């Protein structure tokens, strides 16, 4: 008996490979957006933001 629910077929190796590549592309894109937002935020705050009194 299969662990999959009724009507769900297992993925082929090609589909698994495609899904993994897509997941990696999404992760890299999300990471790039986070980095861009971080850099833009620091640039907008100015270089003195790290030397403010705590």
């Amino acid at each position: 008996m299969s662990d999959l629910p009724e009507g769900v077929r297992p993925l082929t190796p090609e589909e698994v490979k495609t899904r993994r590549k897509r997941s990696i592309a999404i992760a890299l894109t999300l990471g790039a957006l986070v980095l861009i937002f971080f850099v833009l935020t620091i640039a907008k705050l100015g270089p003195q933001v790290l030397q403010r009194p705590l």
Side-chain angles (χ1 to χ4, degrees), residues 7-45:
V8 176
R9 66 172 176 80
L11 296 175
T12 64
E14 294 83 22
E15 290 172 330
V16 171
K17 203 178 293 186
T18 301
R19 181 181 281 188
R20 179 158 173 79
K21 285 181 182 181
R22 184 172 51 237
S23 296
I24 290 171
I26 291 171
L28 290 175
T29 303
L30 183 59
L33 280 173
V34 167
L35 185 63
I36 288 170
F37 289 146
F38 177 74
V39 168
L40 288 176
T41 300
I42 296 301
K44 186 173 174 80
L45 291 174

Side-chain angles (χ1 to χ4, degrees), residues 41-54:
T41 300
I42 296 301
K44 186 173 174 80
L45 291 174
Q48 299 298 323
V49 71
L50 298 177
Q51 298 187 8
R52 62 186 166 94
L54 297 175

